[in-house]
Amino acid sequence: MSPLIVANWKMNTTLSEAMILANGIKKGLADIGECEVVLCPPFPWLVPLAEVIHHHPLHHLSLGAQNIHYKEFGPYTGEVSATMLKSVVKYVIIGHSERRRFARETHEEIEAKIKQALKQGLWPIVCIGEPRRPKSELLENPNELSIAHLHQPLDELHDAFRHLSKGEAEQVIVAYEPLWAISTSKDGEAATGLYANRVAQIFQQRLVKYVGASSSTHPVLYGGSVTPANAREFSHQPSIAGFLVGGASLRIRDFLSICRNAVS
Ligand code: PGA
């Protein structure tokens, strides 16, 4: 599978900045093969960006939403549904730690959003967080990593998959996003490639219950301070299928360099 690289612009960019970014990324990507890139701008820029993306489409560039509501329509002021987005986006990020924290999203809502995304034919990218930074020795040598340390992420993983059929579970992309590694967090320092790979392997082992024998290749992305400097280290890890990139996805040159390093 070619690497999947997701740009999460969060609540950033004006319309003109978003257009410049999308055009620049599209232009640069024409020379980068064998990867799939997903731009997730703020909601109001999705439709204008769809015109950029669909004009001379590149087969490996598409759009994603940063969130959806779990219902199709109804009295939910300020919300946006998968039904409204499905003609524009292919992917949707669900359960990002910022939404779990600031919007107080519950496991039940996240489960319902995953179901709704699948019902509408979108690919959910479900974020699984890890609240505590492990000791530095573990980051360098993760063989000793204990399941107890991963208690919360494994619970989040279980909650996301527990009510899915095998066919549904196969379509859910997992993004391992340690909270302590996100660039805007207190530590804001990326995990090591070895550590992220070990966590991804443990996730894949847990997924055997839901997706069966194919779990060892189930896509797990890494997110948290991915930069041009560390992208290659992560991309060489067998259990890391790509990236969820925040801050660096707002800079054309950095983002393209991450994509290039992911495919090399
Ligand atoms: P970051 O954000 O790349 O800026 O650390 C990642 C994310 O929050 O998805």
Side-chain angles (χ1 to χ4, degrees):
M1 195 180 122
S2 56
L4 176 64
I5 304 145
V6 184
N8 178 10
W9 293 353
K10 308 191 180 184
M11 198 175 72
N12 292 301
T13 67
T14 60
L15 175 57
S16 61
E17 286 166 348
M19 296 296 265
I20 291 169
L21 255 178
N23 274 304
I25 290 170
K26 183 176 176 186
K27 192 156 165 251
L29 269 185
D31 299 328
I32 301 175
E34 293 305 306
C35 63
E36 178 155 8
V37 170
V38 185
L39 304 182
C40 302
F43 278 134
W45 313 155
L46 279 170
V47 171
L49 254 57
E51 306 213 336
V52 172
I53 305 280
H54 296 150
H55 191 67
H56 296 307
L58 285 177
H59 72 280
H60 55 324
L61 177 63
S62 56
L63 290 176
Q66 296 177 18
N67 178 38
I68 47 166
H69 194 262
Y70 56 86
K71 294 277 193 181
E72 287 179 44
F73 295 103
Y76 303 98
T77 303
E79 298 290 348
V80 179
S81 72
T83 324
M84 296 164 183
L85 294 169
K86 65 182 175 189
S87 61
V88 182
V89 306
K90 183 169 169 193
Y91 294 88
V92 56
I93 298 172
I94 295 181
H96 191 281
S97 57
E98 286 154 11
R99 291 205 55 83
R100 292 183 195 252
R101 183 170 164 216
F102 301 124
R104 306 234 182 282
E105 263 182 17
T106 63
H107 297 317
E108 291 78 16
E109 281 167 333
I110 290 165
E111 274 188 74
K113 288 179 184 204
I114 296 170
K115 280 271 186 197
Q116 186 58 236
L118 292 167
K119 186 174 169 199
Q120 303 304 333
L122 304 183
W123 291 79
I125 300 166
V126 178
C127 299
I128 303 295
E130 176 190 351
R132 277 186 302 120
R133 187 178 190 276
K135 294 205 176 79
S136 303
E137 306 87 79
L138 263 186
L139 283 168
E140 297 310 323
N141 180 7
N143 290 336
E144 305 296 309
L145 177 60
S146 74
I147 298 297
H149 175 78
L150 294 179
H151 173 71
Q152 183 172 322
L154 289 173
D155 278 356
E156 287 181 5
L157 193 72
H158 171 73
D159 288 337
F161 280 81
R162 63 183 166 175
H163 291 134
L164 301 180
S165 67
K166 184 168 175 291
E168 288 174 328
E170 279 170 349
Q171 294 177 55
V172 177
I173 296 155
V174 173
Y176 163 54
E177 288 232 315
L179 275 55
W180 47 270
I182 291 180
S183 62
T184 47
S185 70
K186 188 163 70 59
D187 292 319
E189 206 185 299
T192 59
L194 283 177
Y195 185 82
N197 189 61
R198 181 71 193 120
V199 175
Q201 274 174 351
I202 293 172
F203 284 4
Q204 287 170 329
Q205 284 157 8
R206 285 294 163 113
L207 288 176
V208 78
K209 257 209 281 217
Y210 310 102
V211 296
S214 62
S215 76
S216 62
T217 55
H218 194 84
V220 179
L221 312 182
Y222 168 75
S225 296
V226 175
T227 63
N230 61 27
R232 191 163 303 183
E233 178 190 342
F234 287 109
S235 67
H236 286 165
Q237 306 300 328
S239 292
I240 303 288
F243 303 127
L244 181 48
V245 189
S249 72
L250 294 164
R251 297 182 292 273
I252 297 172
R253 190 199 283 245
D254 283 358
F255 186 67
L256 288 172
S257 167
I258 288 171
C259 296
R260 210 170 286 114
N261 284 339
V263 296
S264 65

